[in-house]
Amino acid sequence: FAEKARVATLDAAKMAGIEVIELINEPTAAACYYASLPNVEKISGKILVFDLGGGTFDVTFAEVKNKKVDVLTSRGDKYLGGRDFDNEITKLMKKKYFDIHNVEIDIKNNKQYLHKAEEVKKILSVKDKANIEINGPKGLQKIEITQDEFEESIQTYIEKIKMLIEEAMDASGMNPGRINQTLLV
């Protein structure tokens, strides 16, 4: 949350009659939940919380000791998320449709393409390629998108995620060898 959003959340809680003890970010909340799990008593150490949501990305390094969580550092980008990956897939769909029919599909004004893109993204998380049908000005067209094409299209976002993780590691004095657990949120 930016400061404006934090204040709005606190104001909303007050209007609802909720006493706010503390407002914490999602990765910190995930670390606190993790620390409260029964089997965590045996696990202490440094954790990395990787939170890639629909619209945002956050990474947090924390230390867990006997259910106590100390956040070492957090970094994030409130404009980087899974929707960006969906948008890249829609661009691939547009290009492939154009290559076949020499006619463009309007990816910006049609939610059907975003739904198809999310479907493709899910398929590509477990398979090497996804075959889907998209409807455009020249009718239904079956297209194939490969995992390699998808990964190439999102490379800029992946590099930004890596950069934010490295920034957080530097700020917390961490290195990959010191991380005991990784939480995917």
Side-chain angles (χ1 to χ4, degrees):
F1 279 168
E3 188 56 29
K4 214 173 177 182
R6 292 179 73 82
V7 169
T9 302
L10 293 169
D11 289 346
K14 283 181 193 173
M15 289 191 306
I18 298 171
E19 178 189 355
V20 177
I21 297 168
E22 187 175 358
L23 187 62
I24 60 176
N25 64 28
E26 288 175 288
T28 303
C32 290
Y33 172 74
Y34 167 78
S36 73
L37 294 173
N39 60 343
V40 172
E41 293 155 1
K42 300 175 196 135
I43 303 169
S44 288
K46 310 269 193 276
I47 64 169
L48 177 150
V49 182
F50 185 95
D51 181 2
L52 181 61
T56 62
F57 169 71
D58 294 291
V59 60
T60 294
F61 286 97
E63 186 161 5
V64 177
K65 288 182 189 172
N66 301 324
K67 302 206 182 275
K68 183 177 183 267
V69 176
D70 289 320
V71 173
L72 304 173
T73 192
S74 289
R75 292 292 186 274
D77 186 329
K78 62 183 179 178
Y79 302 109
L80 190 162
R83 277 187 228 113
D84 295 309
F85 298 171
D86 296 343
N87 288 331
E88 291 301 320
I89 292 171
T90 62
K91 290 176 188 174
L92 288 170
M93 291 164 43
K94 179 179 180 176
K95 180 191 179 309
K96 287 179 177 271
Y97 193 91
F98 183 83
D99 289 348
I100 294 166
H101 294 291
N102 205 27
V103 174
E104 288 192 353
I105 57 175
D106 185 4
I107 59 175
K108 291 191 183 194
N109 296 315
N110 194 327
K111 291 186 188 234
Q112 147 193 330
Y113 298 125
L114 277 176
H115 291 297
K116 289 281 186 183
E118 189 172 7
E119 184 182 320
V120 168
K121 181 174 65 176
K122 288 175 184 176
I123 292 168
L124 292 176
S125 71
V126 293
K127 294 186 176 181
D128 292 338
K129 60 185 173 184
N131 292 297
I132 58 161
E133 284 188 345
I134 57 172
N135 199 6
K138 297 279 186 169
L140 277 177
Q141 179 62 51
K142 188 175 182 179
I143 63 166
E144 178 181 281
I145 297 177
T146 67
Q147 197 175 63
D148 287 341
E149 290 171 320
F150 171 57
E151 288 175 1
E152 184 179 324
S153 74
I154 62 169
Q155 194 56 42
T156 301
Y157 300 112
I158 300 302
E159 290 304 317
K160 185 147 193 188
I161 288 169
K162 287 179 184 177
M163 180 192 72
L164 290 165
I165 292 171
E166 288 171 5
E167 279 181 22
M169 268 199 266
D170 289 345
S172 64
M174 290 291 292
N175 68 53
R178 295 181 58 207
I179 299 168
N180 301 95
Q181 295 287 321
T182 300
L183 299 180
L184 301 177
V185 181

